[in-house]
Amino acid sequence: MNTKADIEIVTGFIGAGKTTFINSLIKNTYLNIENLLIIQYEQGNQKILDVITNDNNINLEVIPGGSPLDSFHLENILKKYKPHRVIIEYNGTKNLSDLLDVLYSKSIKKIAKVTSTFFITDCLTYDMFLNNMPTLIMPNLYHSNLIIFNNSNKIPEKNLSTITKEIRSINKDSFFLNIDDISKLDTLLDETGFMDRGFFKATRILTKNFISKLTLRR
């Protein structure tokens, strides 16, 4: 692999809507000139859509929950698929810091870089997980670029405001997206224009392809 792959992490507890988010993320940002690799470190209630996995430029690698995702294993996966972009679906019951240690290891940093971290949380269970598993929740809050609150209409607005303020004290740079129904995420992402898409992304991918071709000619 001659250029570094962009890695996007999608984390959250089972049932929060991670896979649904990944489906929406791909539909809103994928360009057919890029090679995309999806790594699922868990398989939840939903699945990656067939229309996505049937694309010749998109590959899906499922890692059994009990298997380690260490730097050696990940490096072999990246060299096998040579992606421009990687989306990792990570189980919220595992510590995000462990995954980041792998992604920032010397061998992985040579071929890939973390560009975005998305944390999907269900407002109905957020307090329960925070109170019972703070060491798992805190890394997600600290490192996320975008935090999506699913079922935000099912808790009092003042409670949602309190949660947001608490997270702001931990991560002042993160964006927040409140959604009543995760199935409506496609429309919301399109309307907000939050995701990286269009001319600038196309230019970035074309530049990577061009550099790769130049390197191969040498």
Side-chain angles (χ1 to χ4, degrees), residues 50-179:
D50 291 339
V51 68
I52 291 174
T53 56
N54 289 336
D55 189 299
N56 290 332
N57 287 338
I58 299 178
N59 292 289
L60 175 63
E61 184 84 11
V62 178
I63 299 175
S67 301
L69 183 61
D70 54 27
S71 57
F72 177 78
H73 189 187
L74 182 58
E75 183 179 3
N76 285 336
I77 293 174
L78 294 177
K79 288 182 176 180
K80 174 183 176 181
Y81 293 106
K82 299 179 174 59
H84 294 108
R85 178 184 175 199
V86 182
I87 297 175
I88 299 177
E89 181 175 357
Y90 197 64
N91 190 330
T93 60
K94 297 183 182 297
N95 198 315
L96 179 62
S97 297
D98 294 337
L99 174 62
L100 293 175
D101 286 343
V102 172
L103 297 180
Y104 288 115
S105 64
K106 187 175 181 180
S107 60
I108 299 301
K109 284 176 66 176
K110 289 180 180 179
I111 57 177
K113 63 182 185 296
V114 178
T115 59
S116 301
T117 300
F118 306 101
F119 176 49
I120 321 299
T121 184
D122 189 324
C123 287
L124 296 174
T125 57
Y126 173 81
D127 283 337
M128 179 189 69
F129 284 122
L130 180 63
N131 293 331
N132 292 290
M133 302 179 181
T135 56
L136 295 179
I137 286 280
M138 295 303 286
N140 291 312
L141 301 179
Y142 182 79
H143 292 286
S144 291
N145 305 106
L146 173 64
I147 298 172
I148 294 180
F149 294 113
N150 187 20
N151 291 321
S152 59
N153 65 327
K154 295 181 181 178
I155 65 171
E157 189 173 335
K158 65 177 183 179
N159 290 18
L160 184 60
S161 177
T162 298
I163 292 173
T164 303
K165 288 178 181 177
E166 290 174 348
I167 295 175
R168 283 281 185 218
S169 68
I170 300 168
N171 181 351
K172 63 182 178 62
D173 297 319
S174 183
F175 289 91
F176 296 91
L177 200 57
N178 302 328
I179 187 166

